[in-house]
């Protein structure tokens, strides 16, 4: 017996060593260990009772018990990180049971992993999952890198829609790169709604319409959807008003229909009152934040069930009446999203009410169409007109970090002169500092100290468009804005596509800085592209005339009499050397105020 016991102990120790060895092949990261907030979708990250809650701890005594319990579910929460591994593992536990019998476990309790390529394009990652006391997801055979560098890409992990996460860890193979990313600084889209907003009945968290919308707009979203309990209650509205939002979305009508079996005792007058009181409270606390009011999207059995149609038609009429009353009282920047724009059909729901993935996509499409108009962030049909991020460079600088540095500099110094561009501008000089400053003295003598360098290496028109949409021209009033962008589009876009991007960029800048003089500078000549650049600059001249902005073409200083670039002014046929920057600065100086 003693021998058997000793043998058992040795076997257990041996197995333990094997398990440790196996685990040591992966490095595990817990988001709760991060020194900065990493869980996006939380409006009160410093006031939480549990790490993956959606409302602050004090709300437990303010809202109804059912709302508080629902707020413990992690709907809409998302974690960002960078990795260059071919495998990513997720392990976590949840604290609740399966919520809805007609909703997949992968939506209720699962996670969802998306990647953002170095060109800013979305990718979905398929993972092998196992549900038990600890839930695991294993994402294998991932291409470690894109085509630019060996530092991987960004990933975004969407958390369960209808369950509460107790703890969670992300594992990557030892020896690979992994870096958690902080919550983005953008003001969020704040959504107060029902089970449909919370995510019922999406097949996986990334397919909730709120998540789809967040990806389409590339903005943080705060999901305050409470299943069966989105009722425009004052205590919840007061919490919503605490959030400094980019826009408020109110989508509560599915929980406010007047039914004979309802215990709420609602009347049309009570619903009207709640709508008006909600908008009034939000506007009082946040006078400059747009408010979008959504009609009930309807039921998919309405063509065969007159009662279903009556329920949503009734509350939609009440909403329209309340909206008209608010407008007549002088409320500005409030918007009504009609039922038809959500595009729901008989194929759109699981049960007549809760959307399938198709229905969720249709919801998101309707919201995107309206929010882009509300926020003045149009997105076109070609790549140059669709705002995107990029991570093409990580050897010399971090694109996202530079964006944060520009926002901080603008808020502190209120620059009078803004210079927007790609690496040619980036490497010139000025603040915030880039990886090198080839023409620091000529930058200072040209643009002066009260200027900001908004040049980013590898940027294309669509990347500048994203930066403009995400705050780089907000909160200050420059006198002049110089733009030189488009050379990096030459290898990827037609002249017509580049022209379309310029037009949209000019409109975006003029809307945000109407008092500033906008100066579009022609693309600088580059080796073996001199003729095409000249043709593009003729197009830009025409565009600036139509847009009533200034056009200058200082890059002519780089050309010899035969129309080819003077190689003595460049380091590589594209980027000027110190002498080239000096000549360029001298050509720009006459146009500086």
């Amino acid at each position: 017996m003693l021998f058997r016991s000793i043998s058992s102990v040795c076997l257990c120790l041996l197995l333990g060593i094997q398990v440790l060895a196996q685990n040591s092949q992966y490095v595990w990261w817990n988001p709760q260990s991060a020194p900065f907030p990493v869980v996006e979708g939380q409006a009160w990250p410093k006031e939480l009772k549990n790490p993956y809650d959606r409302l602050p701890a004090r709300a437990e005594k303010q809202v109804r018990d059912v709302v508080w319990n629902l707020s413990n579910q992690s709907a809409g929460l998302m974690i960002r990180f960078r990795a260059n591994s071919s495998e990513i593992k997720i392990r976590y536990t949840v604290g609740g049971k399966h919520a809805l019998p007609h909703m997949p476990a992968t939506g209720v309790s699962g996670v969802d992993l998306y990647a953002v390529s170095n060109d800013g394009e979305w990718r979905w990652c398929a993972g092998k999952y196992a549900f038990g006391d600890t839930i695991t997801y294993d994402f294998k055979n991932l291409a470690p890198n894109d085509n630019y560098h060996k530092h991987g890409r960004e990933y975004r992990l969407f958390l369960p829609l209808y369950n509460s996460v107790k703890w969670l860890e992300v594992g990557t193979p030892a020896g690979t790169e992994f870096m958690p990313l902080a919550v983005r600084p953008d003001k969020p889209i704040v959504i107060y709604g029902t089970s449909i907003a919370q995510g019922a009945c999406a097949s996986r968290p990334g397919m909730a319409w709120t998540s789809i919308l967040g990806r389409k707009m590339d903005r943080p979203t705060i999901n305050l959807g409470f299943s069966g309990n989105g009722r425009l209650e004052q205590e919840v509205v007061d919490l919503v008003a605490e959030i400094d939002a980019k826009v408020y979305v109110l989508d509560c009508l599915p929980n406010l229909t007047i039914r004979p079996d309802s215990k709420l005792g609602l009347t049309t007058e009570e619903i009207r009152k709640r709508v008006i009181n909600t908008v009034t409270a939000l506007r009082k606390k946040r006078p400059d934040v747009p408010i979008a009011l959504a009609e009930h999207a309807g039921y998919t059995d309405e063509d065969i069930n007159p009662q279903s149609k009556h329920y949503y038609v009734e509350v939609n009429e009440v909403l329209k009446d309340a909206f008209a009353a608010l407008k007549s009282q002088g409320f500005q920047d409030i918007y009504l999203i009609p039922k038809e724009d959500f595009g729901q059909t008989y194929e759109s729901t699981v049960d007549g009410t809760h959307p399938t993935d198709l229905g969720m996509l249709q919801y998101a499409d309707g919201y995107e169409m309206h929010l882009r108009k509300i926020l003045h962030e149009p997105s076109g049909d070609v790549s140059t007109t669709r705002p995107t991020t990029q991570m093409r460079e990580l050897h010399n600088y971090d694109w996202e970090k530079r964006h944060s540095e520009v926002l901080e500099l603008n808020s502190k110094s209120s620059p009078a002169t803004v210079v927007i561009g790609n690496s040619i501008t980036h490497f010139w000089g000025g603040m915030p500092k880039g990886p090198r400053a080839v023409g620091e003295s000529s930058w200072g003598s040209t643009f002066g100290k009260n200027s900001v360098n908004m040049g980013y290496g590898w940027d294309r028109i669509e990347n500048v468009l994203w930066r403009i949409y995400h705050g780089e021209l907000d909160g200050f009033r420059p006198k002049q804005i110089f733009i030189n962008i488009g050379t990096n589009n030459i290898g990827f876009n037609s002249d017509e596509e580049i022209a379309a991007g310029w037009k949209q960029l000019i409109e975006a800048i003029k809307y945000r800085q109407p008092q500033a003089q906008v100066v579009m500078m022609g693309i600088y000549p580059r080796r073996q592209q001199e003729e095409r650049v000249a043709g593009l600059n003729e197009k830009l001249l025409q565009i600036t005339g139509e847009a009533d902005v200034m056009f200058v073409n200082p890059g002519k200083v780089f050309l010899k009499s035969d129309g080819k670039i003077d190689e003595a002014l460049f380091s590589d046929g594209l980027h000027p050397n110190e002498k080239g920057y000096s000549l360029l600065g001298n050509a720009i100086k006459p146009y500086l105020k």
Side-chain angles (χ1 to χ4, degrees):
M1 289 293 294
L2 180 61
F3 175 79
R4 182 177 298 174
S5 298
I6 294 174
S7 299
S8 299
V9 170
C10 291
L11 178 61
C12 289
L13 288 173
L14 179 61
L15 289 174
I17 292 171
Q18 289 176 338
V19 170
L20 286 174
Q22 184 178 2
N23 284 343
S24 68
Q25 296 174 9
Y26 290 87
V27 176
W28 292 91
W29 170 72
N30 188 322
Q32 298 310 301
S33 68
F36 45 80
V38 294
V39 181
E40 196 164 277
Q42 294 175 320
W44 300 271
K46 297 180 180 179
E47 298 185 56
L48 301 175
K49 181 177 181 179
N50 306 300
Y52 297 99
D53 284 354
R54 292 184 287 152
L55 291 179
R58 55 187 160 86
E60 185 173 10
K61 297 180 180 179
Q62 299 171 351
V63 302
R64 290 181 296 113
D65 288 345
V66 64
V67 174
W68 171 254
N69 292 334
L70 288 165
S71 77
N72 300 149
Q73 297 172 349
S74 56
L77 302 190
M78 185 264 287
I79 297 168
R80 301 187 309 132
F81 56 87
R82 291 179 188 164
N84 70 346
S85 57
S86 60
E87 185 173 7
I88 296 173
K89 292 178 179 288
I90 313 294
R91 62 187 184 191
Y92 60 102
T93 60
V94 294
K97 299 179 180 179
H98 192 89
L100 301 173
H102 55 326
M103 184 173 176
T106 50
V108 171
S109 302
V111 296
D112 212 356
L113 187 66
Y114 285 74
V116 184
S117 79
N118 293 162
D119 284 322
E121 299 168 339
W122 286 98
R123 304 282 187 263
W124 179 71
C125 307
K128 184 177 181 181
Y129 48 83
F131 286 79
D133 292 338
T134 298
I135 302 173
T136 61
Y137 273 71
D138 194 358
F139 300 91
K140 292 184 176 181
N141 302 316
L142 303 171
N145 301 291
D146 295 329
N147 299 322
Y148 294 95
H149 50 73
K150 301 300 182 183
H151 300 288
R153 64 182 69 84
E154 179 182 334
Y155 290 90
R156 299 186 185 182
L157 181 69
F158 293 85
L159 302 190
L161 296 169
Y162 264 81
N163 222 325
S164 56
V165 175
K166 297 303 180 184
W167 65 267
L168 179 145
E169 290 181 332
V170 179
T172 49
T176 60
E177 294 183 27
F178 178 90
M179 184 175 76
L181 296 174
V183 170
R184 291 173 290 176
D186 303 75
K187 293 182 179 182
I189 299 170
V190 177
I191 301 156
Y192 177 26
T194 66
S195 56
I196 299 171
Q198 183 168 340
C201 286
S203 65
R204 44 188 175 83
M207 287 309 297
W209 72 256
T210 51
S211 300
I212 299 172
L213 180 67
R215 292 194 299 275
K216 284 176 171 288
M217 303 291 293
D218 203 12
R219 287 194 173 278
T221 59
I222 304 292
N223 185 331
L224 297 180
F226 301 114
S227 188
N229 289 274
R231 301 178 183 175
L232 298 181
E233 296 167 302
Q234 188 63 50
E235 59 271 21
V236 179
V237 172
D238 288 343
L239 289 166
V240 172
E242 293 180 11
I243 307 171
D244 188 10
K246 186 70 176 180
V247 59
Y248 294 117
V249 173
L250 304 176
D251 194 347
C252 290
L253 290 195
N255 286 164
L256 295 173
T257 54
I258 302 172
R259 298 171 180 263
D261 58 345
S262 173
K263 298 179 181 180
L264 296 180
L266 291 173
T267 63
T268 56
E269 182 55 35
E270 173 63 21
I271 298 170
R272 181 180 185 274
K273 181 180 178 182
R274 291 192 187 196
V275 172
I276 292 175
N277 287 348
T278 296
V279 173
T280 302
L282 292 177
R283 182 57 75 240
K284 182 178 180 180
K285 187 71 177 289
R286 303 288 179 182
D288 299 322
V289 179
I291 301 171
L293 301 165
E295 287 190 3
H296 193 310
Y299 302 107
T300 53
D301 67 341
E302 62 185 63
D303 292 330
I304 200 170
N305 187 336
Q307 189 61 61
S308 291
K309 185 172 184 177
H310 167 76
Y311 288 143
Y312 82 75
V313 168
E314 184 177 39
V315 291
N316 282 349
E317 290 300 319
V318 174
L319 181 65
K320 290 175 184 175
D321 181 60
F323 182 76
L326 289 163
K327 295 298 289 183
S328 68
Q329 294 173 31
F331 280 83
Q332 301 294 317
D333 223 3
I334 63 171
Y335 304 88
L336 186 68
I337 302 180
K339 166 192 180 295
E340 292 73 22
D341 288 350
F342 293 121
Q344 302 292 288
T345 72
Y346 62 87
E347 306 284 13
S348 300
T349 71
V350 174
D351 54 4
T353 301
H354 298 99
T356 59
D357 288 354
L358 171 62
M360 290 291 186
L361 179 60
Q362 292 165 335
Y363 257 96
D365 286 343
Y367 271 113
E368 182 191 15
M369 178 177 65
H370 282 272
L371 292 190
R372 287 202 175 279
K373 292 178 182 177
I374 292 169
L375 300 177
H376 300 275
E377 296 179 5
S379 179
D381 297 327
V382 297
S383 64
T384 55
T385 62
R386 293 193 294 265
T388 55
T389 59
Q390 60 103 339
M391 200 177 79
R392 302 180 183 106
E393 171 68 87
L394 272 181
H395 294 294
N396 295 314
Y397 87 105
D398 185 314
W399 194 90
E400 183 171 323
K401 181 181 178 183
R402 183 164 178 82
H403 174 61
S404 297
E405 291 171 347
V406 167
L407 295 179
E408 183 178 7
L409 178 64
N410 290 347
S411 67
K412 292 181 177 179
S413 64
S414 296
T417 305
V418 172
V419 189
I420 296 172
N422 46 49
S423 57
I424 300 173
T425 301
H426 192 177
F427 299 157
W428 193 341
M431 297 292 290
K433 288 186 176 180
R436 59 182 181 270
V438 179
E440 186 68 59
S441 61
S442 63
W443 175 278
S445 64
T446 303
F447 300 110
K449 292 183 179 180
N450 194 17
S451 62
V452 58
N453 182 330
M454 290 188 188
Y456 289 55
W458 292 84
D459 254 15
R460 301 174 190 163
I461 297 170
E462 57 267 32
N463 307 128
V464 175
L465 192 62
W466 187 97
R467 296 196 273 121
I468 300 305
Y469 285 179
H470 289 256
E472 289 196 4
L473 288 181
D474 295 347
F476 68 109
R477 293 170 62 84
K479 294 179 180 179
Q480 285 183 296
I481 302 173
F482 290 82
I483 307 102
N484 173 258
I485 195 69
T487 194
N488 289 329
N489 292 91
I490 286 177
F492 302 92
N493 297 104
S494 67
D495 290 6
E496 290 71 23
E497 290 171 338
I498 293 173
W502 277 333
K503 290 177 183 178
Q504 190 163 315
L505 180 61
I506 290 170
E507 288 303 312
I509 294 171
K510 288 176 65 178
Y511 172 77
R512 287 159 179 80
Q513 293 291 347
Q515 84 295 331
Q517 182 187 47
V518 177
V519 183
M520 293 295 296
M521 296 190 289
I523 296 178
Y524 304 139
R526 54 186 295 175
R527 182 188 296 154
Q528 297 179 349
Q529 293 286 347
E530 294 92 341
E531 186 175 347
R532 187 178 178 193
V533 166
L536 280 167
N537 286 342
E538 289 181 7
K539 285 184 179 293
L540 181 56
L541 174 62
Q542 179 69 26
I543 290 168
T544 56
E546 295 169 354
D548 193 26
V549 299
M550 191 173 180
F551 172 80
V552 299
N553 194 11
K556 288 182 177 181
V557 298
F558 295 130
L559 295 174
K560 297 186 297 184
S561 58
D562 62 358
K564 301 297 182 181
I565 64 166
D566 184 348
E567 295 282 356
L569 303 176
F570 292 86
S571 61
D572 56 4
L574 174 65
H575 299 91
N577 54 27
E578 185 175 4
K579 182 179 179 181
Y581 277 121
S582 179
L583 290 175
L584 182 63
N586 289 335
I588 294 174
K589 282 179 187 178
Y591 305 103
L592 266 293
K593 288 186 178 180

